[in-house]
Amino acid sequence: MNKIIEVRNTCNSIAGIDTARIFNRGYSTKEGKHRVYGLYNAKRIVDIYHGAMELSFDEQYIVFKVLFY
């Protein structure tokens, strides 16, 4: 049975987002030294359970899908 989790987040501009690095540890589009490791940690957990994460853009949203087969 396939399982899908989808999260949408509003995004003012995709111009500053480096999609090749978005799941890397320490990557952030925000300024400052206090950054969260949420996407990095989420990707690690999904990888452990042999799932996949997809990134896409839909109008004013950045969309993350977590897929388990």
Side-chain angles (χ1 to χ4, degrees):
M1 181 183 307
N2 295 344
K3 303 288 184 191
I4 299 173
I5 300 168
E6 181 175 300
V7 177
R8 292 173 172 263
N9 197 4
T10 56
C11 182
N12 294 334
S13 171
I14 63 170
I17 299 174
D18 185 351
T19 57
R21 295 181 43 225
I22 199 164
F23 296 110
N24 290 358
R25 182 178 176 201
Y27 175 78
S28 179
T29 58
K30 300 173 185 154
E31 297 293 325
K33 64 180 184 177
H34 298 290
R35 297 183 181 163
V36 214
Y37 295 100
L39 289 176
Y40 168 75
N41 287 329
K43 177 81 168 89
R44 285 183 50 213
I45 292 167
V46 169
D47 288 346
I48 288 169
Y49 290 98
H50 308 287
M53 286 188 81
E54 292 181 353
L55 166 69
S56 63
F57 298 95
D58 181 19
E59 296 179 14
Q60 76 272 18
Y61 295 98
I62 185 168
V63 181
F64 298 94
K65 283 186 183 179
V66 179
L67 310 153
F68 292 100
Y69 304 102

